[in-house]
Amino acid sequence: MLEVSHVEMRFGQKEVLRGVTLTLHQGVYGLLGPNGSGKTTLMRCIAGVYRPAAGIIRTPERIGYLPQRFGMFKQLTVYEAMAYFAALKQIPARTQRKAIMECLEQVHLADRADDRIGALSGGMVRRVGIAQALLGCPELILADEPTAGLDPEERLRFKNVISNLRGGPTVVLSTHIVEDVESTCDHIILLYSGKVLAESTADDLRAQAAGKVFSVPADKRCQLQQPYHLLREEAGTGTLRVLSDLPQPGDLAAPTVEDGYMLYIRGRM
Amino acid sequence: MIRSIRVSNRVFYRGLSLPMSYGLVLAATLASLIRLTQGALSPVDYLTDSLKLGIFGVLYFALAGYELTSMLRKLGGQECLSAFPGAQCGLLFSHILVLLPLLAVWSAVIFGGQVIYFFQQGLDYPPYLLHCLLAVMLYCLLPGLDGLLLGALLERTERPSAYGTVVLAVLLSSSVCDELFAGSSLFGVSPMAVLDWFHLTVPNGNWMADANYGVPMEFCRWCLAAFWCLVLTSVLLWQYRRDGGRAVPIAAAILLAAALLCAARFALRGEDDLLLKDSRPDGILSSEYQYRANHPTGELGVADFSVEEYDLKITAKGALKVSTTVNLSRDDLREYRFTLYHGYEVSSVTDERGAALPFTRDGDFLDISAPDGAKAFTVLYSGKGWKYIANEQAITLPGYFPYYPIPGHLALWADGSAQTVTGLPPARFRVEVTSPRTVFSNLPKTGHNQFEGVAEAVTLYAGLVDETVRGRASYICSPVGREQIESIDLERADRLWQEWCEITGETRTLDLAGKTVFIQPDTISACGKGDSESVVIFDDHILLANMNSTPETICAYYLLEYLPSDAERGLLRDVFKQDLVVGIGNWSGEKPDYDALQILREYPSMDALNEIGDEEQWFAAVEQYTSASERFHALYAWQCSQLGRDTVLREVYQYLKDSTPSQDQVTFLYDLGGAS
Ligand SMILES: Nc1ncnc2c1ncn2[C@@H]1O[C@H](COP(=O)(O)OP(=O)(O)O)[C@@H](O)[C@H]1O
Ligand SMILES: [Mg+2]
């Protein structure tokens, strides 16, 4: 279980976290928010990298943390790097090898265990980062933008790894890409400008957007009723996807999580 | 921690640039050591020169320390570690630990150079190896460690500013800044005083080591090196105070306290520090010349009393501290006049009942008033003896230097150079020296660093000094100096003196055989022409310059010492001395022409030519003078061939002794054996 209460953080004059309060139980949580909303800062506070200016954070003892930027000595092999993290996590030497290989297995790097990190691609290094976060059966896993730099196939694989964890630890993934959280996360936390806007689920977000998303043909653009929020122009069909509380000249579209997310964000942009 | 060390090890050795640059540093160090070996240096000079490599240690280990410790941050892995308490701190110190053996190996190579040179030179004095080891530790190992810690401290800085800081640190600890700021002053503070705080490596070219003293390694130097190590480690720990649990800030605080203690000790070093031989205006050598220029010697006078007994309790740690009890020959005087070197500050004078007596100090003079007379005084004083060193590393207190009160007002300085005090009536001395070193003296030994006996003066030596016995003679000198005790045969000197007395008619006696010989260290620089310190003869011991002492030089020095030293007869005196010491050679040609010697009569010495203002004329005169003085030598040789060498020696000696000569030196030599 993870408890964050009234956490504040500032860099100089800039307030980055403004009273964040959260209680997370078992399950996969998606920390969703646009760039600069304070996701990384919050993750760092939880992981113990930063000490918050105010507030209390209660975490379980064993934490796996994948920072936004992960790197390791290029001279070490994947296995040696993992062994170093295993030692830091105080995994007993007897079970170390097994634990490491299991984690590498999960990120499909078991066959690269003896390769130097310097010889791996950026995506593979990222996967080593994921593997080290998984190491030692942590009760809390924090992954900051875990899918950044992964190709679609690796992204899918990561989602599977997370799905497999379901029912075990508390997992917090931060991302600015709605798609990432849609399928994997049980819960979604919307962070905006250092504040939690909502704690919700994918279905919930979708439900909230129901009846508010319209598909408007491009030639009816001038008939749109204010206020509305243009989500995007679909290039192929030339239709506009519009979010609005008012009826609009077009068909109602099936709502997505992103639409729900935008419902929260739009007024503030 | 073991895991972190293993990681650091792999990171270092599997990399390319760090091991390769280390290999280069090692190779360059080896090459410099080998090059120095070919320089035919004395062991101490070899040591001093190889210690200059210390600066490369600071540079390399600062850069290596920075590169290794900042590597993970640059790769973006630091944040991952910060989630584990103590991990960053642990990794940082493992990086330092991994570089330490490399630093040790590099220092060991420099020390190894000393060991090889030691055996190559056939030295038989193991304490010197310990001295080398300590010197390498102080001037290579510890500065390297300081560099390493500095590099680690810069771990969070970007490369340009980190390298800039390292270069600045290297410049500060090298002699470059010394050369820049020597002799200048900012707001009344000499920059040298500030720069001395950074002098971790052997600072500059003026800095010399001598065979007795060895490389300056006073206690305060160790304090300075320790200060930087402690302060850097403390700051390093402080940076990780949040990371490593409570022990880290506590350790940082303890180290800082220790660093402050070291800093205080170094700040209070006063002058117990021979690095002051550097370019500072108050440096140990130039300060005395400055003092003498501003303080003319007062009125001289012999004492109407003598000291029968001296009881000297000497502490040689940093400054010299002495408690002297003197028993006097007379107790009916109102004032007792003494000479005691001006650098010693007298704190009290008491009589035998312990009552304080008034005294005045005027330069080298110490006048004690005794309203009711006194039979004995106890004088307490402390201070610095200029080039006559007395500290925990070495003692060079020659008996001719008044480091204890000598009756009378005597001159310690004349014609721009130090004078020796000799020819005093013998007294009984009881001497006790407190020093971490074994002290050697002319007096018989009665215990560890305790001496007692009757003598004209007491000479005390300690440091890289040992006693060598050859036949009846005992030599106190540095076994690592380039001294030539082989050539100093005192019995031969006595025989030679006999011969010379018979030839010249001299009646003074010289009885050197059996006396203890003290070889003066280089710092005394007792080898200048006409230097009164190059041969000093006492009733039971003699002090000789380090350079070229032979029976001939000793006897010639003794023979000429009491002659008038006027410039008008300088040329003949030189020729005479040359004949005595090395011989003048034969002359089979004609007698040189008197007129060709004319310029020597106009200008009795080369220096006198300086009054010729015009440069062209001066050049011409110098040329003429040089060839005339060659002819003068020839004339001397011609006279020897005509009259016999013994006759010439006798006549010339009598002429040189004459306090009011009736002829100039040229006419005298020309007309020797009858005017023609
Ligand atoms: N170390 C720092 N110093 C100053 N400002 C920072 C620092 N880290 C983050 N910020 C600022 O805090 C805000 C939130 O940053 P961050 O937590 O990285 O957001 P996110 O991860 O959601 O993109 C941004 O405006 C960023 O500029
Ligand atoms: Mg971020």
Side-chain angles (χ1 to χ4, degrees):
Chain A
M1 197 175 90
L2 169 68
E3 268 181 44
V4 176
S5 79
H6 306 289
V7 165
E8 288 172 22
M9 182 77 195
R10 61 181 77 78
F11 295 106
Q13 291 295 320
K14 192 178 166 94
E15 282 188 84
V16 178
L17 295 179
R18 298 185 291 178
V20 175
T21 300
L22 291 168
T23 306
L24 309 188
H25 300 275
Q26 260 187 359
V28 182
Y29 291 80
L31 188 61
L32 190 63
N35 278 330
S37 56
K39 302 183 295 292
T40 297
T41 307
L42 179 59
M43 294 288 238
R44 283 177 176 165
C45 286
I46 299 171
V49 178
Y50 290 156
R51 177 176 289 209
I56 296 169
I57 298 174
R58 240 180 242 119
T59 62
E61 207 156 282
R62 296 197 309 274
I63 303 179
Y65 175 46
L66 171 68
Q68 185 168 331
R69 195 174 158 227
F70 173 81
M72 200 54 208
F73 292 117
K74 292 188 174 131
Q75 293 88 344
L76 298 184
T77 64
V78 172
Y79 185 84
E80 284 163 353
M82 290 296 286
Y84 176 54
F85 284 108
L88 289 177
K89 293 187 176 193
Q90 289 167 356
I91 297 173
R94 285 177 292 109
T95 56
Q96 214 177 40
R97 184 160 192 99
K98 191 166 158 268
I100 290 171
M101 290 318 286
E102 264 175 28
C103 293
L104 288 179
E105 213 75 44
Q106 290 193 49
V107 295
H108 289 254
L109 278 177
D111 54 334
R112 307 294 299 254
D114 293 325
D115 287 13
R116 296 262 175 105
I117 292 193
L120 302 183
S121 70
M124 289 181 192
V125 175
R126 192 97 195 123
R127 274 146 64 195
V128 175
I130 296 167
Q132 66 78 25
L134 299 176
L135 196 62
C137 308
E139 299 150 274
L140 172 65
I141 294 174
L142 303 166
D144 196 357
E145 311 268 1
T147 54
L150 299 188
D151 62 29
E153 194 191 338
E154 288 167 338
R155 219 174 264 238
L156 197 65
R157 227 183 277 136
F158 174 73
K159 284 178 187 166
N160 288 337
V161 171
I162 298 300
S163 306
N164 292 341
L165 288 174
R166 207 161 262 140
T170 309
V171 181
V172 187
L173 311 176
S174 91
T175 180
H176 63 280
I177 303 165
V178 181
E179 206 184 303
D180 281 349
V181 293
E182 216 172 324
S183 52
T184 38
C185 298
D186 312 319
H187 310 275
I188 292 170
I189 299 162
L190 288 185
L191 193 68
Y192 187 82
S193 187
K195 272 196 158 134
V196 177
L197 291 186
E199 288 185 66
S200 141
T201 61
D203 292 341
D204 207 20
L205 281 178
R206 242 181 255 125
Q208 288 195 23
K212 294 180 180 172
V213 185
F214 301 88
S215 193
V216 182
D219 51 351
K220 293 195 178 157
R221 188 174 214 149
C222 47
Q223 296 171 21
L224 283 170
Q225 301 279 312
Q226 284 289 0
Y228 70 93
H229 180 83
L230 180 63
L231 290 168
R232 63 175 175 268
E233 288 190 50
E234 270 151 40
T237 55
T239 52
L240 307 174
R241 196 174 173 86
V242 169
L243 186 65
S244 178
D245 293 329
L246 302 175
Q248 297 293 346
D251 302 328
L252 273 173
T256 63
V257 179
E258 185 164 12
D259 298 334
Y261 168 59
M262 288 316 293
L263 199 61
Y264 279 98
I265 304 295
R266 61 168 176 183
R268 299 163 209 272
M269 280 181 140
Chain B
M1 193 70 185
I2 290 170
R3 176 67 70 174
S4 311
I5 291 173
R6 211 176 289 167
V7 167
S8 307
N9 240 327
R10 285 175 179 144
V11 170
F12 183 88
Y13 287 104
R14 287 186 192 163
L16 200 64
S17 52
L18 286 175
M20 270 199 7
S21 55
Y22 180 67
L24 279 179
V25 166
L26 267 193
T29 303
L30 268 175
S32 329
L33 286 173
I34 291 170
R35 206 176 53 79
L36 282 177
T37 314
Q38 289 154 359
L41 297 165
S42 79
V44 175
D45 288 337
Y46 179 74
L47 174 63
T48 315
D49 281 358
S50 43
L51 289 178
K52 287 178 184 157
L53 292 167
I55 203 76
F56 296 108
V58 178
L59 181 65
Y60 174 76
F61 286 99
L63 294 182
Y66 169 74
E67 287 299 335
L68 194 57
T69 51
S70 67
M71 192 185 283
L72 191 60
R73 190 176 297 278
K74 288 188 188 130
L75 290 170
Q78 202 72 15
E79 194 182 330
C80 215
L81 294 193
S82 49
F84 304 101
Q88 288 184 72
C89 196
L91 192 63
L92 183 90
F93 279 93
S94 3
H95 287 328
I96 293 175
L97 281 179
V98 162
L99 288 173
L100 277 185
L102 303 179
L103 175 58
V105 167
W106 172 76
S107 311
V109 166
I110 297 176
F111 176 60
Q114 313 309 315
V115 176
I116 291 170
Y117 206 62
F118 179 87
F119 287 110
Q120 221 177 43
Q121 300 280 309
L123 292 178
D124 180 21
Y125 185 59
Y128 181 65
L129 285 180
L130 178 67
H131 181 83
C132 291
L133 182 65
L134 291 174
V136 170
M137 277 172 65
L138 181 60
Y139 290 114
C140 295
L141 186 75
L142 287 177
L145 180 60
D146 285 321
L148 179 49
L149 291 168
L150 176 69
L153 201 61
L154 294 169
E155 171 244 340
R156 290 170 197 211
T157 353
E158 289 304 314
R159 203 173 262 141
S161 50
Y163 276 37
T165 312
V166 168
V167 168
L168 184 70
V170 167
L171 287 182
L172 279 174
S173 61
S174 75
S175 59
V176 177
C177 291
D178 285 19
E179 317 275 315
L180 280 180
F181 295 109
S184 66
S185 160
L186 277 175
F187 310 111
V189 180
S190 165
M192 305 305 290
V194 179
L195 285 175
D196 205 25
W197 281 84
F198 299 94
H199 282 160
L200 291 168
T201 56
V202 178
N204 64 39
N206 297 347
W207 190 81
M208 63 174 182
D210 74 45
N212 284 29
Y213 198 80
V215 173
M217 285 190 282
E218 300 82 8
F219 181 64
C220 63
R221 287 282 135 200
W222 292 92
C223 288
L224 180 66
F227 162 72
W228 284 110
C229 288
L230 289 169
V231 94
L232 290 173
T233 315
S234 168
V235 175
L236 210 50
L237 284 174
W238 187 249
Q239 285 194 345
Y240 289 94
R241 63 192 178 280
R242 296 239 172 83
D243 178 45
R246 192 174 297 170
V248 173
I250 292 175
I254 292 173
L255 290 181
L256 187 68
L260 290 179
L261 278 180
C262 290
R265 178 62 187 81
F266 185 74
L268 299 174
R269 68 194 177 285
E271 290 176 38
D272 58 331
D273 180 0
L274 279 221
L275 282 185
L276 294 189
K277 282 189 290 189
D278 66 21
S279 9
R280 286 203 255 179
D282 54 352
I284 203 158
L285 285 181
S286 50
S287 63
E288 181 72 4
Y289 289 92
Q290 238 159 45
Y291 176 87
R292 294 298 176 187
N294 301 330
H295 297 78
T297 310
E299 203 169 307
L300 305 177
V302 287
D304 35 15
F305 68 97
S306 63
V307 173
E308 293 180 334
E309 233 176 67
Y310 280 98
D311 209 334
L312 296 170
K313 289 194 175 55
I314 296 176
T315 307
K317 280 178 191 159
L320 186 73
K321 279 198 197 71
V322 185
S323 160
T324 310
T325 304
V326 291
N327 275 306
L328 307 163
S329 60
R330 291 177 62 174
D331 61 358
D332 55 344
L333 295 175
R334 296 284 158 270
E335 192 184 42
Y336 293 86
R337 294 178 169 188
F338 290 96
T339 300
L340 178 71
Y341 177 69
H342 66 83
Y344 300 125
E345 197 177 316
V346 177
S347 52
S348 79
V349 179
T350 49
D351 64 12
E352 64 263 49
R353 290 179 300 277
L357 293 176
F359 63 89
T360 55
R361 196 90 166 90
D362 174 22
D364 298 311
F365 301 153
L366 167 66
D367 298 341
I368 300 171
S369 309
D372 311 317
K375 184 71 186 124
F377 297 132
T378 300
V379 185
L380 292 180
Y381 54 93
S382 63
K384 283 272 135 189
W386 178 37
K387 64 182 181 178
Y388 307 103
I389 298 150
N391 63 17
E392 71 267 24
Q393 196 175 333
I395 299 176
T396 311
L397 292 172
Y400 59 75
F401 169 70
Y403 63 94
Y404 50 85
I406 308 275
H409 280 181
L410 309 173
L412 301 189
W413 194 267
D415 303 328
S417 73
Q419 298 299 300
T420 55
V421 174
T422 53
L424 296 165
R428 168 160 290 277
F429 286 94
R430 250 191 312 276
V431 184
E432 201 181 311
V433 187
T434 309
S435 161
R437 307 263 153 189
T438 302
V439 181
F440 295 88
S441 171
N442 55 306
L443 298 176
K445 197 171 171 154
T446 54
H448 179 66
N449 291 351
Q450 288 178 342
F451 310 92
E452 187 172 345
V454 176
E456 289 174 354
V458 186
T459 292
L460 297 172
Y461 266 38
L464 293 173
V465 172
D466 207 357
E467 184 171 8
T468 312
V469 179
R470 290 271 154 83
R472 275 176 66 205
S474 144
Y475 302 85
I476 310 288
C477 62
S478 171
V480 291
R482 274 270 195 86
E483 83 298 330
Q484 297 117 346
I485 59 173
E486 300 293 342
S487 66
I488 307 168
D489 182 343
L490 297 183
E491 284 168 27
R492 204 169 88 67
D494 285 344
R495 286 197 302 275
L496 192 67
W497 181 255
Q498 286 294 327
E499 278 172 36
W500 287 8
C501 282
E502 277 160 28
I503 295 169
T504 58
E506 175 59 47
T507 52
R508 280 180 296 144
T509 56
L510 184 66
D511 185 15
L512 297 180
K515 288 185 182 177
T516 308
V517 181
F518 287 79
I519 306 289
Q520 303 266 40
D522 294 345
T523 16
I524 302 279
S525 48
C527 49
K529 192 175 160 190
D531 193 312
S532 58
E533 292 168 88
S534 55
V535 179
V536 182
I537 300 170
F538 287 108
D539 54 351
D540 63 342
H541 69 292
I542 64 174
L543 294 116
L544 298 177
N546 195 12
M547 310 277 273
N548 310 318
S549 285
T550 60
E552 283 78 8
T553 56
I554 297 169
C555 290
Y557 183 85
Y558 191 54
L559 190 65
L560 292 166
E561 187 187 12
Y562 293 101
L563 295 183
S565 57
D566 51 303
E568 281 70 31
R569 286 179 283 177
L571 197 56
L572 186 56
R573 228 177 7 247
D574 287 349
V575 177
F576 179 70
K577 188 175 173 190
Q578 190 188 330
D579 187 17
L580 289 176
V581 176
V582 289
I584 203 85
N586 294 320
W587 178 254
S588 49
E590 293 274 297
K591 181 176 184 178
D593 190 19
Y594 184 70
D595 293 336
L597 301 169
Q598 183 56 29
I599 189 163
L600 300 180
R601 301 180 63 214
E602 280 170 50
Y603 302 98
S605 71
M606 186 80 97
D607 290 343
L609 295 177
N610 289 342
E611 60 194 52
I612 301 172
D614 184 74
E615 196 166 321
E616 221 157 277
Q617 276 180 20
W618 180 79
F619 267 117
V622 167
E623 206 161 294
Q624 208 184 341
Y625 189 93
T626 313
S627 81
S629 75
E630 277 167 15
R631 288 211 183 90
F632 189 75
H633 276 71
L635 177 62
Y636 184 95
W638 183 85
Q639 290 288 19
C640 288
S641 70
Q642 298 295 308
L643 305 169
R645 180 169 176 258
D646 290 0
T647 312
V648 173
L649 280 175
R650 181 173 55 247
E651 295 295 330
V652 169
Y653 185 62
Q654 294 305 328
Y655 169 76
L656 290 176
K657 235 168 104 170
D658 195 349
S659 52
T660 49
S662 55
Q663 284 174 303
D664 68 87
Q665 54 185 0
V666 178
T667 314
F668 165 78
L669 189 64
Y670 196 82
D671 289 350
L672 198 62
S676 51

